[in-house]
Amino acid sequence: MNDTTVSRKTFDEVMVPVFAPAPFVPDRGEGSRVWDTEGRDYIDFAGGIAVTALGHAHPALLRVLHEQAARLWHIGNGYTNAPVLRLAKQLAALTFADRAFFANSGAEANEAALKLARRVAFDRHGAQKAEIVSFTQSFHGRTFFTVSVGGQPKYSEGFGPRPEGIVHLPYNDIAAARRAIGAQTCAVIVEPVQGEGGVIPADPAFLRALREACDAHGALLIFDEVQTGVGRTGHFYAYQDTGVTPDILTTAKALGNGFPIGAMLTTEAIAAHFSVGVHGTTYGGNPLGAAIASKVVELVSDPALLAGVRERGERIRAKLAQLNARFDVIGEVRGKGLLIGAQLNARHAGRAKDFHTAAANRGVMMLIAGPDVLRFAPSLIIPEADLDEGFARLAQAFEDVCGRAPGASR
Ligand code: PLP
């Protein structure tokens, strides 16, 4: 039912203004379609920022949500629960990891990973081995530690002294990484595909070089798979297609398909450095989130679903090529599976937001990654018909921005 007591305008009156949401208010979703409070429908190419991997209102997830909610939805970490144990076993079976720590978001999973890495180095080598190596343009969350480790200074400036012992290197620069990683390095944290930073895949040779340098200097390699994980790249985790295995992996976003849950996965030997009371959370590992994530993992780890992700990714690339043949706005298409970034060409530099707004006006929800990149992160099971309809609408949006004449810019 449409609640007429609130509207988009209410946001500006009662919310802390850290976001600038679209002018419409989404109200209902099913699969890859969303309806706003006015009843207009949208094709969802954004997936709640790479989160709703199985679309909206997935029947199996709804069933689990209802059943678990009626059974037990929170108990606190003074007790364990069957759903979280099942989920940990599933993730261990699917990955290099033996152990899991559950949190509620990507930032918290990374916070745990960074604290664990610092603790491992402290225990094994002493306080001097504390340096964390990260990469420019990376994004790891908004807690003060994770935002300081992230490589976008605009997000960590203006909050007083930052945590110490963090260095930022250029992404995909093997020589710089070899020079910088040394005896002082505690951990290297890297996204296998930089998401927020512009959808930039890591060169496999770069990841191999990071692995070698970490091994040579007793540092831990952390893969932040918050955006790339849970099927997004066409593999359950992106690392599984790189030939490089991290020591710690963080995952969130699609793990709960929108129910807030994150996890840090690691080996038994590394996990042993976190003893009782060293780290914790009230909600992390609650039975409701864990039950939902367990079903998500079961469904997404199906090889047929993962093959479908790769196929849909190719279809989007073909559709983008067709659009570009008409409008000539895209320079390069990057990414993997269903995490795709289309870099605007020089003539359209800085106009990603214009395309984003025009798309919404034509009934397509999509994402941008900085001022120059259109980003696509739809449901991993988006029906072909919705994909085609979304691109037909996008063609109208491109025409709105570029005008009718092929290649024309405003
Ligand atoms: N790490 C990566 C790679 C991300 O893309 C994000 C969110 O966009 C985060 C961490 C932070 O996750 P959350 O917003 O759930 O804290």
Side-chain angles (χ1 to χ4, degrees):
M1 212 206 319
N2 193 0
D3 180 353
T4 53
T5 63
V6 291
S7 68
R8 169 62 182 81
K9 192 166 158 284
T10 319
F11 183 96
D12 299 331
E13 294 161 1
V14 298
M15 300 291 278
V16 174
V18 293
F19 301 114
F24 62 94
V25 181
D27 179 51
R28 185 170 72 82
E30 199 180 320
S32 286
R33 299 251 172 178
V34 170
W35 289 265
D36 70 14
T37 47
E38 307 296 315
R40 283 194 67 207
D41 81 296
Y42 301 80
I43 307 283
D44 187 358
F45 283 171
I49 321 186
V51 167
T52 46
L54 296 168
H56 302 280
H58 189 284
L61 298 182
L62 281 179
R63 213 164 27 247
V64 168
L65 175 93
H66 288 140
E67 279 170 17
Q68 189 60 43
R71 180 177 288 274
L72 185 69
W73 69 10
H74 178 81
I75 195 67
N77 283 306
Y79 311 87
T80 192
N81 63 80
V84 82
L85 298 175
R86 268 200 308 273
L87 175 61
K89 280 182 77 169
Q90 283 172 292
L91 291 169
L94 282 166
T95 68
F96 72 95
D98 317 303
R99 301 273 173 161
F101 170 80
F102 291 100
N104 312 291
S105 65
E108 286 172 80
N110 282 329
E111 185 83 18
L114 294 164
K115 282 179 70 180
L116 176 59
R118 280 268 177 94
R119 181 56 68 110
V120 171
F122 184 86
D123 289 349
R124 289 181 180 169
H125 305 275
Q128 76 293 346
K129 193 174 177 66
E131 190 177 88
I132 290 164
V133 170
S134 174
F135 298 96
T136 50
Q137 293 306 114
S138 65
F139 187 79
H140 299 297
R142 297 289 200 138
T143 65
F144 201 32
F145 196 4
T146 57
V147 87
S148 304
V149 168
Q152 303 190 44
K154 63 176 192 275
Y155 294 144
S156 60
E157 279 163 0
F159 299 106
R162 292 194 189 97
E164 288 175 14
I166 301 165
V167 295
H168 295 98
L169 308 178
Y171 190 66
N172 274 336
D173 185 335
I174 293 177
R178 287 200 178 123
R179 271 196 308 274
I181 296 167
Q184 77 293 351
T185 309
C186 147
V188 176
I189 182 165
V190 65
E191 295 162 84
V193 180
Q194 282 193 336
E196 303 302 305
V199 191
I200 303 170
D203 188 341
F206 172 65
L207 296 178
R208 279 198 299 277
L210 295 182
R211 180 70 276 175
E212 282 162 19
C214 284
D215 290 345
H217 297 287
L220 298 184
L221 182 59
I222 304 170
F223 274 13
D224 178 343
E225 294 233 27
V226 168
Q227 190 151 158
T228 55
V230 193
R232 178 62 44 196
T233 66
H235 303 271
F236 193 76
Y237 284 114
Y239 87 87
Q240 292 166 326
D241 191 43
T242 65
V244 175
T245 302
D247 300 298
I248 302 177
L249 182 150
T250 55
T251 178
K253 285 193 184 277
L255 184 59
N257 203 67
F259 191 94
I261 181 169
M264 173 190 73
L265 310 179
T266 191
T267 63
E268 179 147 11
I270 293 170
H273 290 264
F274 261 5
S275 52
V276 174
V278 165
H279 192 62
T281 160
T282 295
Y283 298 120
N286 69 78
L288 185 53
I292 294 165
S294 174
K295 184 50 92 174
V296 170
V297 169
E298 179 195 318
L299 295 174
V300 173
S301 60
D302 177 355
L305 186 144
L306 294 171
V309 172
R310 300 192 290 271
E311 278 160 30
R312 285 169 175 78
E314 288 310 314
R315 196 172 178 88
I316 290 186
R317 283 168 180 269
K319 291 273 176 196
L320 283 170
Q322 279 168 19
L323 264 189
N324 211 31
R326 260 181 84 188
F327 296 102
D328 187 23
V329 297
I330 296 162
E332 185 191 16
V333 177
R334 298 187 293 259
K336 243 183 140 180
L338 282 172
L339 180 55
I340 295 178
Q343 171 95 32
L344 296 174
N345 63 22
R347 272 188 311 117
H348 297 83
R351 300 195 64 194
K353 191 76 198 158
D354 294 348
F355 285 93
H356 179 266
T357 304
N361 289 338
R362 290 291 184 175
V364 177
M365 294 162 75
M366 54 179 282
L367 300 166
I368 59 178
D372 303 325
V373 178
L374 311 180
R375 180 169 38 146
F376 299 82
S379 155
L380 305 182
I381 54 169
I382 182 171
E384 211 172 288
D386 287 347
L387 227 163
D388 293 350
E389 166 83 23
F391 268 92
R393 294 181 187 189
L394 267 192
Q396 295 172 327
F398 274 43
E399 199 168 297
D400 294 343
V401 177
C402 306
R404 227 165 231 291
S409 90
R410 236 180 359 207

